[in-house]
Amino acid sequence: MEKLREKLATLRAEIDAANERADTAEQALKQLEDQQTDRDQELISYQNRIRRLEDEAQMREDQLDEAKQFQRDNEATLNESDVLVKKVTTLEERFDDTESKLREALEKIRAYDLENEGLQRTITQYEKDKEIAEQKYEEMNEKYLASKSELDETIKMLESM
């Protein structure tokens, strides 16, 4: 009878430990899902920023094209050549500024892409960890159910004595 009580105490301890591990796995899973949501929102933010930068670059290129067209149209007028030279110089300076900003934007885009790749790898790892945690949870749950069944059978057997 004492051995049976010890066995029951051991089974209860195993059940408690399994429940605690299952709770820990569920908490870890919740945390991973929260991190995944945060990463998704961050990715969307980066994509929106990239889109805005690309639109701005396109707008700058259009402005440059317009400026170049303006320059070609006004070259025929010799009296306005000084004015045109000044405008061209101003536009070239603006172009250089825009080109510089575009380079910076492209560098930022590349950096975001690299960061995005790193985040994707992290997400993939979290998903793998999640699957492993779920498998462990299922195994612990099966062990728990088996232990519970064994405990119920033992209790029935004791009651029948």
Side-chain angles (χ1 to χ4, degrees):
M1 186 71 165
E2 185 61 32
K3 287 184 181 182
L4 184 59
R5 285 184 185 160
E6 288 175 9
K7 175 118 180 158
L8 285 174
T10 303
L11 288 174
R12 284 187 184 125
E14 288 177 9
I15 289 171
D16 290 343
N19 285 335
E20 185 176 318
R21 287 191 301 272
D23 290 344
T24 302
E26 287 176 357
Q27 289 173 354
L29 178 61
K30 172 72 173 128
Q31 185 179 21
L32 289 173
E33 289 171 347
D34 290 345
Q35 287 175 350
Q36 175 71 28
T37 301
D38 291 345
R39 302 285 187 208
D40 289 345
Q41 290 174 352
E42 189 175 345
L43 178 62
I44 289 169
S45 172
Y46 287 145
Q47 289 171 339
N48 289 337
R49 185 149 188 226
I50 288 168
R51 192 174 320 112
R52 284 194 312 271
L53 290 172
E54 287 172 344
D55 291 345
E56 184 179 334
Q58 182 62 43
M59 182 184 72
R60 302 288 181 174
E61 287 178 16
D62 292 345
Q63 288 175 348
L64 179 62
D65 290 342
E66 289 175 16
K68 287 181 179 179
Q69 183 61 40
F70 180 77
Q71 180 186 5
R72 285 190 290 270
D73 292 344
N74 289 325
E75 283 179 350
T77 308
L78 295 175
N79 293 337
E80 295 179 5
S81 66
D82 290 338
V83 173
L84 289 174
V85 168
K86 288 180 183 179
K87 286 184 179 181
V88 167
T89 302
T90 302
L91 290 173
E92 286 177 348
E93 289 172 0
R94 284 177 54 194
F95 174 73
D96 290 340
D97 289 343
T98 302
E99 194 175 41
S100 173
K101 288 179 182 178
L102 179 61
R103 278 192 214 108
E104 290 175 12
L106 289 174
E107 289 174 12
K108 287 180 181 179
I109 288 170
R110 286 187 197 107
Y112 290 142
D113 284 344
L114 290 174
E115 185 175 346
N116 184 30
E117 288 175 14
L119 291 173
Q120 288 296 334
R121 284 187 294 248
T122 303
I123 287 168
T124 302
Q125 184 60 44
Y126 284 149
E127 288 173 351
K128 288 179 184 176
D129 292 344
K130 176 186 167 187
E131 288 176 15
I132 291 170
E134 287 175 348
Q135 287 175 347
K136 287 181 180 179
Y137 173 75
E138 289 298 326
E139 291 173 7
M140 290 298 159
N141 194 31
E142 288 175 12
K143 288 180 181 179
Y144 167 74
L145 292 175
S147 296
K148 184 177 178 182
S149 174
E150 185 177 318
L151 178 63
D152 289 342
E153 288 176 16
T154 305
I155 290 172
K156 285 180 184 178
M157 188 173 64
L158 285 174
E159 289 176 352
S160 69
M161 289 182 155

